[in-house]
Amino acid sequence: MQTTTTNHAEVLAQKIEARQAQVGVVGLGYVGLPLVVEFAQAGFTVTGIDVMQSKVDAINRGESYVQDVPTSVLKPLVEAGKVRATSDFSVVSGLDTINICVPTPLRKTKDPDMSYIVNSCQELAKYFHPGVLLILESTTYPGTTDELMLPMFETDGRKVGRDFFMCFSPERVDPGNPNFQTKNIPKVVGGITPACTKLGALFYKQALDTVVPVGSTRVAEMVKLLENTFRMINIGLANEMALMCDRMGINVWEVIDAAATKPFGFMPFYPGPGLGGHCIPIDPFYLSWKTKQAGIEARFIELAGYINGQMPHFVVDKIQNALNDHTKPLKGSRVHLMGVAYKRDIDDVRESPALDIIHLLGTRGAKVSYSDPWIPKIQADGIALAGIDEETGCREADCVVIVTDHKKFDYAGLVAQSRLIVDTRNALKGIESDKIVRL
Ligand SMILES: NC(=O)c1ccc[n+]([C@@H]2O[C@H](COP(=O)([O-])OP(=O)(O)OC[C@H]3O[C@@H](n4cnc5c(N)ncnc54)[C@H](O)[C@@H]3O)[C@@H](O)[C@H]2O)c1
């Protein structure tokens, strides 16, 4: 007797190879929308699902709201009927593959917030049908796919690897990176069964340059956490170096640049005002939360988290000391932040250290303004502030602080116009001036 295992896997593989599979992407943000576009460009018809009606409407008008997806790329795909978006999960009945790219934030207690994954899976489960390939891309703790998600779909006698297929594939997108985008970043994928991995790899191969299959969903989940924990801990080390060098009167930037000339065994990481973004400050805590359940304390993660968390305080102390050296108290002084995005050349303030710095400056009585070509206004973390132009900000401030080293800033002009500058990014490398205080 022919088993249904072979049938579902074979039918789906044929549809994928013929690019006839109906592709679905749930969560149309920084990760989901670029993925929609890649698969549509590879010839698939892609349906995006999002709970936010404004995003759905924008996509259906062909308008992109994600920096890495130009409207000039999205619009023709929408007009050709290759991309459409909806907030109605009933479209799942007609889909063959579904990638889940919903948020996975931390709760205030640093516990994973799985509610977005659970909510989207509950909706998907209502319209689930045999033969579907389901791939989770949201960053999460090892075990999410097989412990949390699988039981929601393996119901009514349906068996994973036979009746449907499930994988985890970490998203490694680096918003604003001109060299690496969804298409050319190697894609790791691990399935719950070998058949799942095989189909997951086949699926990604249609649209992406390099696919890296691994033995299980847990390996794939852990890959992402290793990558981001590696970064977070090394940045923590660079920040600790900065704190030590500051005490000893050594220029930490010069130290790192010289160390980086070693052609092996060293990789430079740089200090800064603190961690930001949706990944590096958050993902390692997914791991430490999970390992705690297994009785292991993730000590490196906790320590790096502590040091990185001190950096906005250190920056504000630097600002205060720099002003005091100019016989000005921080209280009542005007402090102008250059850049509030969490990193260079992007339009995202999520978890940005600038938000902490604004709060800390506010509590110490400073008057805060900012300029950022990517962020016209901040409406986050209880802050409501509109950006002002660079020149006015620098000219009127008692102290200018470079928080984000956007390429668009006129650094020579900034130095000429400002009275005092605290540079947290070494953006003024090579410029010598008594006005400059470096991290
Ligand atoms: N942004 C990055 O640079 C990046 C990089 C790698 C990994 N990731 C991970 O990818 C995941 C998504 O991140 P993002 O930056 O794209 O987030 P995002 O907030 O930009 O997008 C998520 C989208 O999901 C939608 N959504 C929320 N709940 C939903 C639901 N129940 N059903 C359907 N849609 C829903 C939201 O409306 C939003 O549009 C996260 O786990 C994140 O950690 C992000």
Side-chain angles (χ1 to χ4, degrees):
M1 190 183 81
Q2 178 82 3
T3 65
T4 45
T5 318
T6 330
N7 281 345
H8 285 306
E10 272 182 9
V11 169
L12 185 55
Q14 280 165 11
K15 281 188 187 176
I16 289 172
E17 280 177 318
R19 307 201 175 184
Q20 299 289 311
Q22 293 293 316
V23 173
V25 175
V26 178
L28 303 171
Y30 290 89
V31 167
L33 190 56
L35 193 70
V36 165
V37 167
E38 285 310 333
F39 275 90
Q41 283 181 323
F44 291 89
T45 301
V46 189
T47 305
I49 307 173
D50 202 292
V51 287
M52 235 170 128
Q53 193 60 42
S54 58
K55 290 189 176 179
V56 167
D57 293 341
I59 292 175
N60 288 332
R61 286 194 306 268
E63 289 167 15
S64 173
Y65 45 82
V66 169
Q67 196 184 328
D68 288 341
V69 175
T71 288
S72 59
V73 171
L74 179 64
K75 205 174 181 79
L77 294 169
V78 174
E79 284 169 354
K82 300 308 278 179
V83 170
R84 66 175 180 136
T86 179
S87 53
D88 179 1
F89 275 79
S90 68
V91 292
V92 168
S93 320
L95 297 178
D96 298 303
T97 68
I98 301 162
N99 290 64
I100 302 175
C101 312
V102 296
T104 44
L106 282 177
R107 297 187 191 281
K108 286 254 175 286
T109 50
K110 291 213 178 341
D111 291 348
D113 179 354
M114 289 289 111
S115 61
Y116 297 88
I117 292 184
V118 170
N119 291 344
S120 53
C121 287
Q122 278 170 345
E123 287 303 308
L124 289 171
K126 289 184 195 164
Y127 306 99
F128 205 62
H129 53 95
V132 172
L133 169 63
L134 194 57
I135 306 177
L136 179 64
E137 294 212 9
S138 303
T139 307
T140 186
Y141 60 83
T144 305
T145 315
D146 61 358
E147 279 172 11
L148 182 75
M149 275 177 63
L150 183 59
M152 297 174 79
F153 296 95
E154 209 169 41
T155 55
D156 306 326
R158 275 190 308 238
K159 190 84 194 123
V160 70
R162 183 189 69 191
D163 305 317
F164 69 99
F165 309 92
M166 204 179 248
C167 296
F168 182 83
S169 176
E171 180 48 60
R172 296 158 139 181
V173 73
D174 181 20
N177 188 324
N179 302 320
F180 293 102
Q181 303 229 320
T182 304
K183 184 163 175 55
N184 65 347
I185 299 174
K187 196 83 175 109
V188 171
V189 59
I192 291 187
T193 70
C196 299
T197 309
K198 208 170 150 190
L199 279 168
L202 182 72
F203 172 69
Y204 284 119
K205 266 185 207 153
Q206 310 306 312
L208 310 183
D209 292 351
T210 311
V211 177
V212 185
V214 294
S216 67
T217 51
R218 286 179 182 236
V219 168
E221 287 159 341
M222 197 64 156
V223 166
K224 175 75 183 173
L225 296 181
L226 170 62
E227 290 167 4
N228 282 1
T229 302
F230 171 84
R231 259 190 87 65
M232 182 251 202
I233 287 175
N234 280 288
I235 293 170
L237 176 63
N239 280 332
E240 192 174 49
M241 274 283 164
L243 299 179
M244 294 190 288
C245 285
D246 186 67
R247 278 291 167 88
M248 293 186 281
I250 298 169
N251 182 331
V252 68
W253 307 96
E254 210 180 333
V255 172
I256 296 170
D257 283 349
T261 60
K262 187 177 178 188
F264 50 88
F266 184 82
M267 186 186 284
F269 284 86
Y270 298 96
L275 295 184
H278 202 330
C279 294
I280 308 294
I282 291 175
D283 303 349
F285 290 101
Y286 271 75
L287 184 54
S288 61
W289 175 83
K290 186 66 181 174
T291 58
K292 227 172 247 165
Q293 294 178 344
I296 298 172
E297 292 283 333
R299 292 194 202 162
F300 272 122
I301 294 175
E302 301 294 341
L303 185 58
Y306 172 77
I307 292 166
N308 292 330
Q310 290 305 302
M311 294 314 286
H313 297 266
F314 178 65
V315 168
V316 172
D317 286 345
K318 273 250 159 208
I319 298 167
Q320 183 152 12
N321 293 340
L323 282 164
N324 290 349
D325 287 346
H326 283 63
T327 64
K328 270 204 148 279
L330 178 57
K331 192 169 179 189
S333 286
R334 286 174 184 274
V335 178
H336 185 68
L337 306 189
M338 291 296 286
V340 291
Y342 77 83
K343 70 172 184 174
R344 180 197 286 176
D345 301 337
I346 62 154
D347 62 354
D348 194 350
V349 286
R350 287 181 296 179
E351 311 288 326
S352 174
L355 304 178
D356 288 333
I357 292 171
I358 292 172
H359 277 302
L360 290 169
L361 286 170
T363 56
R364 295 199 201 174
K367 295 177 199 143
V368 185
S369 58
Y370 84 91
S371 301
D372 191 311
W374 296 100
I375 318 271
K377 58 176 192 285
I378 305 176
Q379 214 121 32
D381 276 9
I383 299 169
L385 203 58
I388 61 172
D389 80 89
E390 219 176 298
E391 203 183 317
T392 313
C394 291
R395 217 181 33 242
E396 294 185 352
D398 298 298
C399 182
V400 171
V401 187
I402 301 174
V403 179
T404 316
D405 51 347
H406 291 308
K407 287 199 200 109
K408 286 186 181 175
F409 286 143
D410 166 14
Y411 290 104
L414 181 156
V415 175
Q417 285 141 15
S418 310
R419 276 168 255 177
L420 175 65
I421 306 154
V422 172
D423 180 3
T424 72
R425 299 281 188 177
N426 204 24
L428 305 179
K429 183 178 176 180
I431 303 179
E432 289 306 324
S433 165
D434 291 344
K435 295 178 187 178
I436 303 171
V437 175
R438 295 179 213 274
L439 190 76

